Coordinates of all heavy atoms in Angstrom, one line a residue:
P1 N 1.9 6.4 -12.4 CA 2.1 7.4 -13.5 C 0.9 7.6 -14.4 O 0.1 6.6 -14.6 CB 3.3 6.8 -14.3 CG 3.9 5.8 -13.4 CD 2.8 5.3 -12.5
N2 N 0.7 8.8 -14.9 CA -0.4 9.1 -15.8 C -0.1 8.8 -17.2 O -0.1 9.6 -18.1 CB -0.8 10.6 -15.7 CG -2.0 10.9 -16.4 OD1 -2.9 10.1 -16.7 ND2 -2.2 12.2 -16.8
T3 N 0.3 7.5 -17.4 CA 0.6 7.0 -18.8 C 0.5 5.5 -18.7 O 0.4 4.9 -17.6 CB 2.0 7.4 -19.2 OG1 2.2 7.1 -20.6 CG2 3.1 6.8 -18.4
R4 N 0.5 4.9 -19.9 CA 0.4 3.4 -19.9 C 1.8 2.9 -19.9 O 2.6 3.0 -20.8 CB -0.2 3.0 -21.2 CG -0.4 1.5 -21.4 CD -1.1 1.1 -22.6 NE -1.2 -0.3 -22.8 CZ -0.3 -1.1 -23.3 NH1 0.9 -0.6 -23.7 NH2 -0.4 -2.4 -23.4
V5 N 2.1 2.2 -18.7 CA 3.4 1.6 -18.5 C 3.3 0.1 -18.8 O 2.4 -0.6 -18.2 CB 3.9 1.8 -17.1 CG1 5.3 1.2 -16.9 CG2 4.0 3.3 -16.8
R6 N 4.1 -0.5 -19.6 CA 4.0 -1.9 -19.9 C 4.5 -2.7 -18.7 O 5.4 -2.2 -18.0 CB 4.8 -2.2 -21.2 CG 4.3 -1.6 -22.4 CD 4.8 -2.3 -23.7 NE 6.3 -2.3 -23.7 CZ 7.0 -1.3 -24.3 NH1 6.4 -0.3 -24.8 NH2 8.3 -1.4 -24.2
F7 N 4.0 -3.9 -18.6 CA 4.4 -4.7 -17.5 C 5.8 -5.1 -17.4 O 6.5 -5.1 -16.4 CB 3.5 -6.0 -17.4 CG 3.8 -6.9 -16.3 CD1 3.4 -6.6 -15.0 CD2 4.6 -8.1 -16.5 CE1 3.7 -7.5 -13.9 CE2 4.9 -8.9 -15.4 CZ 4.5 -8.6 -14.2
G8 N 6.4 -5.4 -18.6 CA 7.8 -5.8 -18.7 C 8.8 -4.7 -18.1 O 9.6 -5.0 -17.2
P9 N 8.7 -3.5 -18.7 CA 9.6 -2.5 -18.1 C 9.3 -2.2 -16.6 O 10.3 -1.9 -15.9 CB 9.3 -1.2 -19.0 CG 8.8 -1.8 -20.3 CD 8.1 -3.1 -19.9
A10 N 8.0 -2.2 -16.2 CA 7.7 -2.0 -14.8 C 8.3 -3.1 -13.9 O 8.8 -2.8 -12.8 CB 6.2 -1.9 -14.6
L11 N 8.3 -4.3 -14.4 CA 8.9 -5.4 -13.6 C 10.4 -5.3 -13.6 O 11.0 -5.6 -12.5 CB 8.5 -6.8 -14.3 CG 9.0 -8.0 -13.6 CD1 8.4 -8.1 -12.1 CD2 8.6 -9.3 -14.3
I12 N 11.0 -4.9 -14.7 CA 12.5 -4.7 -14.6 C 12.9 -3.6 -13.6 O 13.8 -3.8 -12.8 CB 13.0 -4.4 -16.0 CG1 12.8 -5.6 -17.0 CG2 14.5 -4.0 -16.0 CD1 13.2 -5.3 -18.4
G13 N 12.1 -2.5 -13.7 CA 12.4 -1.4 -12.8 C 12.1 -1.8 -11.3 O 12.9 -1.5 -10.4
G14 N 11.0 -2.6 -11.1 CA 10.7 -3.1 -9.8 C 11.7 -4.0 -9.3 O 12.0 -4.0 -8.1
A15 N 12.2 -4.9 -10.1 CA 13.2 -5.9 -9.7 C 14.5 -5.2 -9.3 O 15.0 -5.5 -8.2 CB 13.5 -6.9 -10.8
V16 N 15.0 -4.3 -10.1 CA 16.2 -3.6 -9.7 C 16.0 -2.7 -8.5 O 16.8 -2.8 -7.6 CB 16.7 -2.7 -10.9 CG1 17.9 -1.9 -10.5 CG2 17.0 -3.6 -12.1
G17 N 14.9 -2.0 -8.5 CA 14.6 -1.2 -7.3 C 14.5 -2.0 -6.0 O 14.9 -1.6 -5.0
G18 N 13.7 -3.1 -6.1 CA 13.5 -3.9 -4.9 C 14.8 -4.5 -4.4 O 15.1 -4.5 -3.2
I19 N 15.7 -5.0 -5.3 CA 17.0 -5.6 -4.9 C 17.8 -4.5 -4.2 O 18.5 -4.7 -3.2 CB 17.7 -6.2 -6.0 CG1 16.9 -7.5 -6.5 CG2 19.1 -6.6 -5.7 CD1 17.4 -8.1 -7.8
V20 N 17.9 -3.3 -4.9 CA 18.7 -2.2 -4.3 C 18.1 -1.8 -3.0 O 18.9 -1.5 -2.0 CB 18.7 -1.0 -5.3 CG1 19.3 0.2 -4.7 CG2 19.4 -1.4 -6.6
W21 N 16.8 -1.7 -2.8 CA 16.2 -1.3 -1.6 C 16.5 -2.2 -0.4 O 16.9 -1.8 0.7 CB 14.7 -1.2 -1.7 CG 14.0 -0.5 -0.6 CD1 13.9 0.8 -0.3 CD2 13.3 -1.2 0.5 NE1 13.2 1.0 0.9 CE2 12.8 -0.2 1.4 CE3 13.1 -2.6 0.8 CZ2 12.1 -0.6 2.6 CZ3 12.4 -2.9 2.0 CH2 11.9 -1.9 2.8
Q22 N 16.4 -3.6 -0.7 CA 16.7 -4.5 0.3 C 18.2 -4.5 0.7 O 18.6 -4.5 1.9 CB 16.4 -5.9 -0.1 CG 14.9 -6.2 0.0 CD 14.4 -6.5 1.4 OE1 14.4 -5.5 2.2 NE2 14.1 -7.7 1.7
T23 N 19.1 -4.3 -0.3 CA 20.5 -4.2 -0.1 C 20.8 -3.0 0.7 O 21.7 -3.0 1.7 CB 21.3 -4.3 -1.4 OG1 20.9 -5.4 -2.1 CG2 22.8 -4.3 -1.1
A24 N 20.2 -1.9 0.3 CA 20.4 -0.6 1.1 C 19.9 -0.7 2.5 O 20.5 -0.1 3.4 CB 19.7 0.5 0.4
G25 N 18.9 -1.5 2.7 CA 18.4 -1.8 4.1 C 19.5 -2.5 5.0 O 19.7 -2.1 6.1
W26 N 20.1 -3.5 4.4 CA 21.2 -4.1 5.1 C 22.4 -3.2 5.5 O 22.9 -3.1 6.6 CB 21.7 -5.3 4.3 CG 20.8 -6.5 4.2 CD1 19.7 -6.7 5.0 CD2 20.9 -7.6 3.4 NE1 19.0 -7.8 4.6 CE2 19.8 -8.4 3.6 CE3 21.8 -8.0 2.4 CZ2 19.6 -9.6 3.0 CZ3 21.6 -9.1 1.7 CH2 20.5 -10.0 2.0
V27 N 22.8 -2.4 4.5 CA 23.9 -1.5 4.7 C 23.5 -0.4 5.7 O 24.3 -0.1 6.6 CB 24.3 -0.8 3.3 CG1 25.3 0.3 3.5 CG2 24.8 -1.8 2.3
F28 N 22.2 0.1 5.6 CA 21.8 1.1 6.5 C 21.7 0.5 8.0 O 21.9 1.3 8.9 CB 20.5 1.7 6.1 CG 20.1 3.0 6.8 CD1 20.6 4.2 6.5 CD2 19.2 2.9 7.9 CE1 20.3 5.3 7.1 CE2 18.9 4.0 8.6 CZ 19.4 5.3 8.2
A29 N 21.3 -0.7 8.1 CA 21.2 -1.4 9.4 C 22.6 -1.4 10.1 O 22.7 -1.1 11.3 CB 20.7 -2.8 9.3
I30 N 23.6 -1.7 9.3 CA 25.0 -1.7 9.8 C 25.4 -0.2 10.2 O 26.0 0.0 11.3 CB 26.0 -2.2 8.8 CG1 25.7 -3.7 8.4 CG2 27.4 -2.1 9.3 CD1 26.5 -4.2 7.3
F31 N 25.0 0.7 9.4 CA 25.3 2.1 9.7 C 24.5 2.6 11.0 O 25.1 3.2 11.9 CB 24.9 3.0 8.5 CG 24.8 4.5 8.9 CD1 25.9 5.3 9.0 CD2 23.6 5.1 9.1 CE1 25.9 6.6 9.3 CE2 23.5 6.5 9.4 CZ 24.7 7.2 9.5
A32 N 23.3 2.2 11.1 CA 22.5 2.6 12.3 C 23.0 1.9 13.6 O 23.0 2.5 14.6 CB 21.0 2.2 12.1
A33 N 23.5 0.7 13.4 CA 24.0 0.0 14.6 C 25.3 0.6 15.1 O 25.7 0.5 16.3 CB 24.3 -1.5 14.3
S34 N 26.1 1.3 14.2 CA 27.4 1.9 14.6 C 27.3 3.4 14.7 O 28.3 4.1 14.7 CB 28.4 1.5 13.6 OG 28.1 2.0 12.3
S35 N 26.1 3.9 14.9 CA 25.9 5.4 14.9 C 25.6 5.9 16.4 O 24.7 6.7 16.6 CB 24.7 5.8 14.0 OG 23.5 5.1 14.5
N36 N 26.4 5.3 17.3 CA 26.2 5.8 18.7 C 26.6 7.3 18.9 O 26.1 8.0 19.7 CB 27.0 4.9 19.6 CG 26.6 3.5 19.6 OD1 25.4 3.2 19.5 ND2 27.5 2.5 19.8
S37 N 27.5 7.7 18.0 CA 27.9 9.1 18.1 C 26.8 10.1 17.8 O 26.7 11.2 18.3 CB 29.1 9.4 17.2 OG 28.7 9.1 15.8
Y38 N 25.9 9.6 16.9 CA 24.7 10.5 16.6 C 23.8 10.6 17.8 O 23.3 11.7 18.0 CB 23.9 9.9 15.4 CG 24.5 10.1 14.1 CD1 25.4 9.1 13.5 CD2 24.2 11.2 13.3 CE1 26.0 9.3 12.3 CE2 24.8 11.4 12.1 CZ 25.7 10.5 11.6 OH 26.3 10.7 10.4
A39 N 23.6 9.6 18.6 CA 22.8 9.7 19.8 C 23.5 10.6 20.8 O 22.8 11.3 21.5 CB 22.6 8.3 20.4
A40 N 24.8 10.6 20.8 CA 25.5 11.4 21.8 C 25.4 12.9 21.4 O 25.3 13.8 22.2 CB 27.0 11.0 21.9
I41 N 25.4 13.2 20.1 CA 25.3 14.5 19.6 C 23.9 15.1 19.6 O 23.6 16.2 20.1 CB 25.9 14.6 18.2 CG1 27.4 14.3 18.2 CG2 25.8 16.0 17.6 CD1 28.1 14.2 16.9
Y42 N 22.9 14.3 19.0 CA 21.6 14.8 18.8 C 20.6 14.3 19.9 O 19.4 14.7 19.8 CB 21.1 14.3 17.4 CG 21.8 14.8 16.2 CD1 22.8 14.1 15.6 CD2 21.6 16.1 15.8 CE1 23.5 14.6 14.5 CE2 22.2 16.6 14.7 CZ 23.2 15.9 14.1 OH 23.9 16.4 13.0
S43 N 21.0 13.5 20.8 CA 20.2 13.0 21.9 C 18.9 12.4 21.4 O 18.9 11.5 20.5 CB 20.0 14.2 22.8 OG 19.2 13.8 24.0
G44 N 17.8 12.9 21.8 CA 16.5 12.4 21.4 C 16.1 12.6 20.0 O 15.2 11.9 19.4
F45 N 16.8 13.5 19.3 CA 16.5 13.7 17.9 C 17.2 12.7 16.9 O 17.0 12.7 15.7 CB 17.0 15.2 17.5 CG 16.1 16.2 18.0 CD1 16.5 16.9 19.2 CD2 14.9 16.5 17.5 CE1 15.8 17.9 19.7 CE2 14.1 17.5 18.0 CZ 14.5 18.2 19.2
A46 N 18.1 11.9 17.5 CA 18.9 10.9 16.7 C 17.9 10.0 16.0 O 18.1 9.7 14.8 CB 19.8 10.2 17.5

């Protein structure tokens, strides 16, 4: 960002964002593993 961001707020945002991103990765992995219907519908575009 084109402004002075303090380390504390950036770390809080990074901590929440990082935890949410990793958690979303686990949830999305479950979704991707059970998305065989997408492969049947979209074929190579899935």
Side-chain angles (χ1 to χ4, degrees):
N2 186 25
T3 187
R4 183 179 176 275
V5 181
R6 297 197 303 270
F7 178 75
L11 181 60
I12 293 174
V16 176
I19 293 172
V20 172
W21 188 82
Q22 282 288 67
T23 306
W26 288 347
V27 175
F28 192 82
I30 298 173
F31 166 75
S34 60
S35 60
N36 295 328
S37 57
Y38 283 91
I41 297 174
Y42 295 100
S43 185
F45 290 101

